[in-house]
Coordinates of all heavy atoms in Angstrom, one line a residue:
K58 N -27.6 21.8 -14.0 CA -26.6 21.1 -14.9 C -26.4 21.9 -16.2 O -25.3 22.1 -16.6 CB -27.0 19.7 -15.3 CG -26.0 18.9 -16.0 CD -26.5 17.5 -16.4 CE -26.5 16.6 -15.2 NZ -25.2 16.3 -14.7
C70 N -13.0 30.9 -25.8 CA -13.2 31.9 -26.8 C -14.1 31.3 -27.9 O -13.7 31.1 -29.0 CB -11.9 32.3 -27.4 SG -10.8 33.1 -26.2
Y97 N -29.5 36.0 -22.6 CA -29.1 37.2 -22.1 C -27.8 37.1 -21.3 O -27.1 38.1 -21.1 CB -30.2 37.8 -21.2 CG -31.5 37.9 -21.9 CD1 -32.6 37.1 -21.7 CD2 -31.7 38.9 -22.9 CE1 -33.8 37.2 -22.4 CE2 -32.9 39.0 -23.6 CZ -33.9 38.2 -23.4 OH -35.1 38.3 -24.1
I115 N -46.7 28.1 -27.7 CA -45.5 28.9 -28.2 C -45.5 30.3 -27.6 O -46.4 31.1 -27.9 CB -45.6 28.9 -29.7 CG1 -45.4 27.5 -30.3 CG2 -44.5 29.8 -30.3 CD1 -45.5 27.4 -31.8
E124 N -36.0 29.7 -32.3 CA -36.8 29.2 -33.4 C -37.7 28.1 -32.8 O -37.3 27.3 -32.0 CB -36.0 28.6 -34.5 CG -35.1 29.7 -35.2 CD -34.3 29.1 -36.3 OE1 -34.6 27.9 -36.7 OE2 -33.4 29.7 -36.8
V127 N -43.3 22.9 -34.6 CA -44.2 21.9 -34.0 C -43.8 20.5 -34.5 O -44.4 19.5 -34.1 CB -45.7 22.2 -34.5 CG1 -46.2 23.5 -33.9 CG2 -45.8 22.2 -36.0
G137 N -29.7 14.1 -39.6 CA -29.1 13.7 -40.9 C -30.1 13.8 -42.1 O -29.7 13.4 -43.2
E138 N -31.2 14.4 -41.9 CA -32.1 14.6 -43.0 C -31.6 15.7 -43.9 O -31.2 16.8 -43.5 CB -33.5 14.9 -42.6 CG -34.5 15.0 -43.7 CD -36.0 14.8 -43.3 OE1 -36.2 14.7 -42.1 OE2 -36.8 14.9 -44.2
I139 N -31.6 15.4 -45.2 CA -31.1 16.4 -46.2 C -32.2 16.9 -47.1 O -33.0 16.2 -47.7 CB -30.0 15.6 -47.1 CG1 -28.8 15.3 -46.2 CG2 -29.6 16.5 -48.3 CD1 -27.8 14.4 -46.9
I146 N -24.8 28.4 -48.7 CA -24.1 29.0 -49.8 C -23.2 30.1 -49.3 O -23.6 31.2 -49.1 CB -25.1 29.6 -50.8 CG1 -26.1 28.5 -51.3 CG2 -24.4 30.1 -52.0 CD1 -27.2 29.0 -52.2
A154 N -17.0 21.5 -48.1 CA -17.7 20.4 -48.9 C -16.8 19.9 -50.0 O -16.9 18.7 -50.4 CB -19.0 21.0 -49.4
K155 N -16.0 20.8 -50.6 CA -15.1 20.4 -51.7 C -14.0 19.5 -51.3 O -13.5 18.6 -52.0 CB -14.6 21.6 -52.4 CG -13.8 21.3 -53.7 CD -13.5 22.6 -54.4 CE -12.7 22.4 -55.7 NZ -12.4 23.7 -56.4
S159 N -18.9 17.5 -45.2 CA -19.6 18.7 -44.9 C -20.3 18.6 -43.5 O -20.8 19.6 -43.0 CB -20.6 19.1 -46.0 OG -21.4 18.0 -46.3
L161 N -19.0 16.1 -40.8 CA -18.2 15.6 -39.8 C -16.7 16.2 -39.7 O -16.0 15.8 -38.7 CB -18.1 14.1 -39.9 CG -19.4 13.3 -39.8 CD1 -19.2 11.8 -40.0 CD2 -20.0 13.6 -38.4
P177 N -23.3 11.5 -32.5 CA -24.0 10.7 -31.5 C -24.9 9.6 -32.1 O -25.3 8.7 -31.4 CB -24.9 11.8 -30.8 CG -24.2 13.1 -31.1 CD -23.6 12.9 -32.4
M179 N -24.2 7.5 -34.4 CA -23.4 6.3 -34.8 C -23.1 5.4 -33.6 O -23.1 5.8 -32.4 CB -22.0 6.8 -35.3 CG -22.1 7.5 -36.6 SD -20.5 8.1 -37.2 CE -21.0 8.5 -38.9
Q188 N -12.5 8.5 -19.4 CA -11.3 7.8 -19.5 C -10.4 8.2 -20.6 O -9.2 7.9 -20.6 CB -11.6 6.3 -19.6 CG -12.1 5.5 -18.4 CD -13.6 5.6 -18.3 OE1 -14.3 5.5 -19.3 NE2 -14.1 5.7 -17.0
N197 N -6.6 10.9 -33.6 CA -6.6 9.5 -33.9 C -7.0 9.4 -35.4 O -8.0 9.9 -35.9 CB -7.7 8.8 -33.1 CG -7.8 7.3 -33.3 OD1 -7.7 6.8 -34.4 ND2 -8.0 6.6 -32.2
K208 N -18.0 14.9 -50.8 CA -19.2 14.6 -51.7 C -18.7 13.9 -53.0 O -19.5 13.2 -53.6 CB -20.0 15.8 -52.0 CG -20.9 16.3 -50.9 CD -22.0 15.3 -50.6 CE -23.0 15.9 -49.6 NZ -24.2 15.0 -49.4
T224 N -25.3 19.4 -47.1 CA -24.7 18.8 -46.0 C -24.6 17.3 -46.3 O -24.9 16.8 -47.4 CB -25.5 19.0 -44.7 OG1 -24.8 18.5 -43.6 CG2 -26.9 18.4 -44.8
V230 N -26.9 5.6 -44.0 CA -26.6 5.5 -45.5 C -27.4 4.4 -46.1 O -27.9 3.5 -45.4 CB -25.1 5.3 -45.7 CG1 -24.3 6.5 -45.3 CG2 -24.6 4.1 -45.0
I236 N -19.5 2.7 -46.5 CA -19.5 4.0 -45.8 C -19.5 5.2 -46.8 O -19.8 6.3 -46.4 CB -18.3 4.1 -44.9 CG1 -18.5 5.3 -43.9 CG2 -17.0 4.3 -45.7 CD1 -19.7 5.2 -43.1

Side-chain angles (χ1 to χ4, degrees):
K58 185 182 288 290
C70 296
Y97 303 106
I115 293 178
E124 294 181 13
V127 295
E138 184 160 0
I139 294 173
I146 306 175
K155 188 174 182 180
S159 52
L161 299 176
M179 292 179 165
Q188 285 89 38
N197 184 319
K208 285 291 188 175
T224 185
V230 293
I236 197 55

